[in-house]
Amino acid sequence: MANQSPETGTRSEDVLAAAGIVVTPEGKARARERLRAADQRWTTELRDELRAQIGLPARAA
């Protein structure tokens, strides 16, 4: 979360702190784990089903 915005050069953590949101190492670890778990749920079949549902063509292999 310490990445700087290319538009403003502002660190993400600084923006969150200004909004009253405290970023901790433990919170970062939990967020990474949640993102990893969500990514694992997105199977090829689920992606294909969603693309069909919203009317997008199938992806090329």
Side-chain angles (χ1 to χ4, degrees):
M1 294 280 294
N3 297 338
Q4 289 190 345
S5 166
E7 295 84 25
T8 65
T10 306
R11 288 173 10 111
S12 300
E13 288 182 10
D14 294 340
V15 172
L16 292 170
I21 300 169
V22 178
V23 178
T24 64
E26 295 82 10
K28 288 181 188 180
R30 283 193 308 271
R32 284 188 195 104
E33 181 55 37
R34 290 180 68 184
L35 288 170
R36 194 174 6 262
D39 188 53
Q40 289 174 349
R41 287 192 300 270
W42 279 98
T43 63
T44 302
E45 294 81 14
L46 183 59
R47 281 189 175 95
D48 290 345
E49 183 180 317
L50 178 61
R51 291 180 71 83
Q53 186 178 20
I54 62 175
L56 293 175
R59 292 183 350 181

